[in-house]
Amino acid sequence: MTESKTPVTETLKRFRELTGLIKQYGEILGVAYWDMRTGAPRKGIPLRSEAVGALSAESFRISTSDEMGELIDRLSSSATLPTLSRIDRRLVEESKKDYDRNRKLPPELYREYVVLTSQAESAWEELKENNDFPGFVPYLEKIIDFNRRFIELWGAKATPYDTLLDLYEPGLTTTELDRLFGELRGRLVPLVIAIAKDGNRPDTSFLEGTYDKETQKAFSKFILKEMGYDFEAGRLDESVHPFMTGLNLGDARITTRYLPHDLTSALFGTIHEGGHALYEQNIDPELAGTLLCSGTSMGIHESQSRLWENMVGRGRAFWQHYFPELKKHFPGKLDNVSAEAFYRGVNLVEPGFIRIDADELTYNLHIMIRYEIEKMLFNEGLSARDLPEVWNAKYMEALSIEPPNDSVGVLQDTHWSGGAFGYFPSYSLGNMYGAQIMDVANRKLPALDDQIAAGQLHPLKEWLTEQVYRHGKLLQPAEIIQSVSGQELKSSYLCDYLETKYKDIYHL
Ligand code: ZN
């Protein structure tokens, strides 16, 4: 038997080089992605897409190369792995997972899929505009077929859909989600019904009006600074759909969208993306430049954006301090509104068709509908053309409303056109993780509410850095929630939080 004569230090050095290169390519792809969505000239997009495709393919090639396979093999051997540092061990584990998964996909099949989803994404925008679901069916059928083939190649877990869930939330299963979502539904639906029937509806008229864009921008920047967002390690731009992109430890950019007649869109969009960015800006510098220097999962990432947006930003304590600041920014606009009325107004609960416009409470029901439909697609063979009927029936059942057309129904989200099946649950997981983490914060940080009400957001940010942010991908999602709360993920924290908050707001 011949053993490799290359010393472990050499193998490790090369492994770090190659994974570092993948990270660097990822950063450049991130800049290109940011640029395309924040004002790149329209005429340059087709060639830019090809450039992005070429660099992605090169990154894919390195991550699935024979050399990478050999390096991972040597480093993950039972003799070597335990001798590596904690960071290198995790890096090997992560790279092995990607390598094993990607090697199973024939590169040609993968390339075809990238082209298909990129075409489908641009087609979707127009089809949605024109309310043309039948036009979307051929794309959707192909994308679903590709995903079914990927699942076969990757190997189905307990169910085919479990394989897709694992892409976004490592370790999460449908059994677990069925339980969590079942509990959530059991407590949230009665609350939504009680609010509609007996709730004392807040006034929201003052949220509409004319709110100068430059002033909205100034207030967004002010709030970001208050949260501890580092403008020397990021920037705020505009895009149609707000997003955050973490390019490297010193560059986590966010975008928002200013609507002249709606004060809350930019405000809460900015706080949401700011929460994502705080996570990326505060990862341990030891992880900088490695593949571990990013949030650990979509669910944990969403927990941070949603925690800041809803639990802090839509909280009573927050507006006790920041409402006078808001009034100062918009003199004469909110004169007859109290901080309490503003707090109630930004927490209006109202079943609607559109997920991204949904309130904090009904939002989870939108997610559960998508989750159930995705399970039907991959575990029960539901066909794409039957989606509108299933979609509308589920909206009737969960929210007692029926979409008047597919644009505001089954066509509303971009995810399926990009092939992101299994992604939606991350949003509700984020709400659950966030509530469980905030429950600990409220017990561990004395007088957290008082601090927030005094405009001191730093103690919370520091605590979250210590508990969540600094770990990057060094800890898995289940390890994070266990280390923060001493428990696995539970739905009860979110249910308790929502019941307490909304029974108070609606005087139930
Ligand atoms: Zn988000």
Side-chain angles (χ1 to χ4, degrees):
M1 193 177 118
T2 53
E3 272 290 312
S4 165
K5 293 282 184 290
T6 320
V8 171
T9 47
E10 285 297 306
T11 308
L12 195 57
K13 187 165 160 262
R14 181 64 182 149
F15 171 73
R16 282 207 151 214
E17 245 168 48
L18 283 188
T19 52
L21 197 57
I22 294 169
K23 179 74 179 171
Q24 287 172 331
Y25 284 1
E27 174 171 343
I28 302 302
L29 286 166
V31 177
Y33 172 85
W34 169 83
D35 177 59
M36 282 196 278
R37 278 156 189 78
T38 53
R42 194 177 55 81
K43 289 183 179 173
I45 299 290
L47 282 172
R48 173 62 63 76
S49 304
E50 287 189 29
V52 163
L55 193 57
S56 308
E58 182 56 15
S59 179
F60 187 82
R61 190 193 64 73
I62 298 171
S63 74
T64 56
S65 63
D66 292 344
E67 184 183 14
M68 180 64 89
E70 281 160 26
L71 293 169
I72 290 171
D73 258 5
R74 269 184 234 158
L75 293 172
S76 53
S77 76
S78 56
T80 308
L81 194 66
T83 68
L84 301 181
S85 71
R86 188 164 163 248
I87 292 175
D88 286 325
R89 268 203 313 272
R90 269 294 289 151
L91 205 48
V92 171
E93 277 168 19
E94 275 294 304
S95 305
K96 184 170 165 42
K97 194 171 172 182
D98 285 349
Y99 175 84
D100 289 343
R101 182 146 59 202
N102 291 336
R103 275 290 273 215
K104 289 179 182 160
L105 300 186
E108 185 50 26
L109 187 73
Y110 179 73
R111 201 194 56 79
E112 263 178 62
Y113 181 66
V114 171
V115 173
L116 169 66
T117 49
S118 128
Q119 288 168 343
E121 276 176 319
S122 46
W124 163 78
E125 275 180 36
E126 209 180 312
L127 294 164
K128 177 187 160 187
E129 282 274 308
N130 300 333
N131 188 30
D132 183 2
F133 183 76
F136 191 46
V137 168
Y139 291 102
L140 210 43
E141 281 177 340
K142 281 187 209 144
I143 294 171
I144 292 167
D145 270 355
F146 265 98
N147 276 278
R148 286 179 180 148
R149 281 165 78 186
F150 292 163
I151 293 168
E152 266 173 40
L153 289 164
W154 282 327
K157 295 178 182 289
T159 74
Y161 186 61
D162 283 71
T163 305
L164 299 177
L165 281 180
D166 190 66
L167 296 176
Y168 303 100
E169 202 63 17
L172 186 73
T173 63
T174 47
T175 310
E176 176 77 351
L177 262 187
D178 283 344
R179 183 178 63 74
L180 290 168
F181 280 172
E183 292 164 359
L184 211 52
R185 180 192 299 269
R187 286 179 64 184
L188 298 192
V189 170
L191 185 56
V192 173
I193 292 171
I195 285 171
K197 201 164 143 271
D198 302 315
N200 189 327
R201 193 180 199 275
D203 177 20
T204 57
S205 56
F206 49 82
L207 295 174
E208 289 145 34
T210 313
Y211 289 95
D212 172 64
K213 181 176 151 179
E214 289 308 313
T215 316
Q216 287 197 46
K217 197 182 284 182
F219 192 70
S220 286
K221 286 190 170 167
F222 165 70
I223 292 291
L224 283 172
K225 282 186 193 141
E226 291 287 300
M227 287 166 67
Y229 178 79
D230 180 359
F231 271 94
E232 288 184 14
R235 48 182 288 160
L236 176 64
D237 293 275
E238 287 178 52
S239 66
V240 181
H241 297 288
F243 69 94
M244 184 284 305
T245 183
L247 295 169
N248 68 43
L249 192 54
D251 193 347
R253 302 177 182 197
I254 59 188
T255 69
T256 194
R257 177 183 62 162
Y258 304 100
L259 301 179
H261 299 295
D262 176 0
L263 182 57
T264 57
S265 173
L267 178 58
F268 292 110
T270 303
I271 300 176
H272 179 99
E273 303 307 333
H276 281 303
L278 287 185
Y279 192 174
E280 295 284 322
Q281 284 184 339
N282 291 288
I283 294 172
D284 191 331
E286 254 200 306
L287 301 177
T290 75
L291 291 171
L292 302 179
C293 192
S294 79
T296 191
S297 71
M298 298 316 303
I300 298 286
H301 235 304
E302 279 302 315
S303 80
Q304 295 315 299
S305 53
R306 283 163 193 280
L307 181 160
W308 281 101
E309 178 194 350
N310 292 324
M311 294 171 195
V312 178
R314 281 194 172 87
R316 182 180 270 134
F318 185 86
W319 289 109
Q320 277 169 13
H321 183 80
Y322 290 105
F323 190 61
E325 294 288 343
L326 184 68
K327 279 177 138 172
K328 261 190 247 165
H329 276 75
F330 295 99
K333 293 278 182 195
L334 295 157
D335 285 357
N336 301 318
V337 182
S338 65
E340 177 66 14
F342 188 80
Y343 162 68
R344 293 188 69 224
V346 299
N347 285 295
L348 177 76
V349 172
E350 195 159 57
F353 301 117
I354 307 295
R355 173 185 63 88
I356 57 168
D357 295 337
D359 58 81
E360 187 184 9
L361 185 52
T362 58
Y363 188 91
N364 298 292
L365 301 174
H366 290 264
I367 297 304
M368 286 179 222
I369 290 171
R370 287 153 180 75
Y371 167 67
E372 285 168 15
I373 291 176
E374 290 187 342
K375 267 199 312 184
M376 289 169 77
L377 284 170
F378 291 96
N379 293 350
E380 294 163 31
L382 174 69
S383 86
R385 86 186 80 86
D386 296 329
L387 281 171
E389 198 187 319
V390 177
W391 181 281
N392 294 352
K394 292 210 174 275
Y395 265 80
M396 199 41 149
E397 188 195 325
L399 288 159
S400 304
I401 52 174
E402 188 168 338
N405 60 58
D406 293 333
S407 283
V408 297
V410 67
L411 275 175
Q412 68 181 270
D413 296 304
T414 178
H415 301 59
W416 292 344
S417 68
F421 294 98
Y423 187 110
F424 281 119
S426 315
Y427 297 113
S428 280
L429 286 172
N431 288 334
M432 288 188 261
Y433 283 129
Q436 191 159 333
I437 291 169
M438 264 317 251
D439 173 75
V440 182
N442 276 313
R443 284 184 283 114
K444 292 279 167 73
L445 294 171
L448 176 59
D449 252 11
D450 295 343
Q451 286 173 337
I452 293 173
Q456 290 162 15
L457 305 179
H458 282 258
L460 177 61
K461 186 204 130 192
E462 295 307 321
W463 186 82
L464 289 168
T465 297
E466 181 61 26
Q467 300 292 322
V468 181
Y469 303 161
R470 69 185 174 96
H471 301 295
K473 264 185 181 314
L474 207 48
L475 296 180
Q476 304 259 30
E479 293 171 321
I480 291 269
I481 199 65
Q482 189 70 39
S483 86
V484 178
S485 69
Q487 289 177 320
E488 59 185 24
L489 179 63
K490 288 187 158 48
S491 64
S492 55
Y493 293 101
L494 178 61
C495 295
D496 291 347
Y497 156 76
L498 290 172
E499 278 175 4
T500 307
K501 177 172 176 177
Y502 287 94
K503 280 182 178 170
D504 170 62
I505 290 175
Y506 277 85
H507 307 153
L508 289 168

